[in-house]
Amino acid sequence: ILIRCCFPMSGLEQRCLQFHEAALGTGKSKGDEKEMLTLRKFLHKNQQQRFTDKATSRLFDTIQVYATKKEDSNFRESQEGLLEDALKMPFTVFTTKQKKTMMKRLEELRGGTSASNAQSQSQSQEETLSVIDIDKDKLVLMNDETGDTYEGVSLPPTEIGKAIQRAFEETDSVVQVRVRIDADSTVALVDILDE
């Protein structure tokens, strides 16, 4: 005998389902732009909540639906705002893989401006970037203003490298680093900020 146990959906999960259905056009919708604005407010208000895997998946799918719709330039601003807000969510809401996908969508919306195109205009410049992930001895860095990401940046075995690793693992705040970016998009760590 198979007994099915059904648990009621949580309020967060139910709301994520409503957003998902509205994006797909199978549920009630106030129009895409209003739905995106409501979703942005929802993300901001609930960024410290623990979402179920199903709710996270629905949120991610909803954002992807809106990000791939083709409309006018005003709609594109709403799409960019939604993606930017989603990228600011903690990793307890969206995974690194999901954030990378959203970064690609944001780059596509902005006309495909890549880090290499932006940096080729100058010989070398210093920038402040945020550490968004550390995988073994490699950093994933992001420019908060442009959304450009730099992957595979080596975490040096120096005091700076250890300080970055320690700050990333031990604090909830964003770890920012000062880097030098050469014309060929080579990124070199200079220092950690506000350790």
Side-chain angles (χ1 to χ4, degrees):
I1 298 175
L2 178 66
I3 300 173
R4 291 189 71 190
C5 183
C6 296
F7 296 101
M9 273 192 225
S10 71
L12 282 177
E13 195 168 319
Q14 181 64 36
R15 189 63 181 113
C16 293
L17 175 62
Q18 291 170 349
F19 280 124
H20 191 247
E21 289 175 346
L24 295 175
T26 59
K28 292 181 181 178
S29 174
K30 300 178 245 174
D32 288 345
E33 289 196 53
K34 285 187 178 180
E35 287 292 332
M36 282 192 286
L37 181 60
T38 305
L39 178 55
R40 290 176 69 183
K41 289 177 184 177
F42 174 82
L43 290 174
H44 180 70
K45 181 180 176 185
N46 294 290
Q47 59 187 319
Q48 299 305 319
Q49 297 293 326
R50 291 297 247 180
F51 289 86
T52 64
D53 290 342
K54 186 178 270 188
T56 298
S57 178
R58 284 185 175 140
L59 278 177
F60 177 70
D61 288 345
T62 300
I63 292 167
Q64 293 307 301
V65 168
Y66 286 130
T68 56
K69 287 188 177 186
K70 303 290 186 209
E71 300 285 336
D72 59 21
S73 61
N74 290 337
F75 188 77
R76 190 168 38 139
E77 289 175 18
S78 297
Q79 291 171 308
E80 288 179 14
L82 177 60
L83 286 167
E84 288 169 355
D85 287 353
L87 287 167
K88 292 175 187 173
M89 296 294 288
F91 285 92
T92 56
V93 179
F94 295 116
T95 65
T96 301
K97 185 177 179 181
Q98 288 171 329
K99 286 192 174 195
K100 285 181 181 179
T101 302
M102 288 188 274
M103 284 296 304
K104 287 179 186 175
R105 294 275 187 240
L106 186 58
E107 187 175 299
E108 289 169 7
L109 285 173
R110 291 181 172 162
T113 305
S114 68
S116 59
N117 290 344
Q119 300 306 324
S120 63
Q121 298 171 359
S122 64
Q123 293 299 324
S124 177
Q125 64 185 30
E126 285 196 8
E127 287 187 21
T128 300
L129 303 176
S130 297
V131 178
I132 58 172
D133 196 16
I134 298 178
D135 186 16
K136 297 179 183 168
D137 62 343
K138 301 291 183 190
L139 297 170
V140 179
L141 306 173
M142 181 175 77
N143 182 318
D144 293 331
E145 294 175 10
T146 65
D148 292 338
T149 58
Y150 303 87
E151 298 180 17
V153 178
S154 294
L155 183 65
T158 62
E159 286 304 313
I160 293 173
K162 291 175 185 173
I164 293 168
Q165 182 82 37
R166 187 173 48 250
F168 186 77
E169 291 173 352
E170 296 175 1
T171 65
D172 291 332
S173 58
V174 175
V175 177
Q176 293 193 314
V177 293
R178 193 84 187 140
V179 298
R180 184 181 61 253
I181 303 173
D182 296 329
D184 63 353
S185 295
T186 303
V187 178
L189 286 171
V190 175
D191 201 1
I192 182 173
L193 302 178
D194 301 322
E195 181 184 352

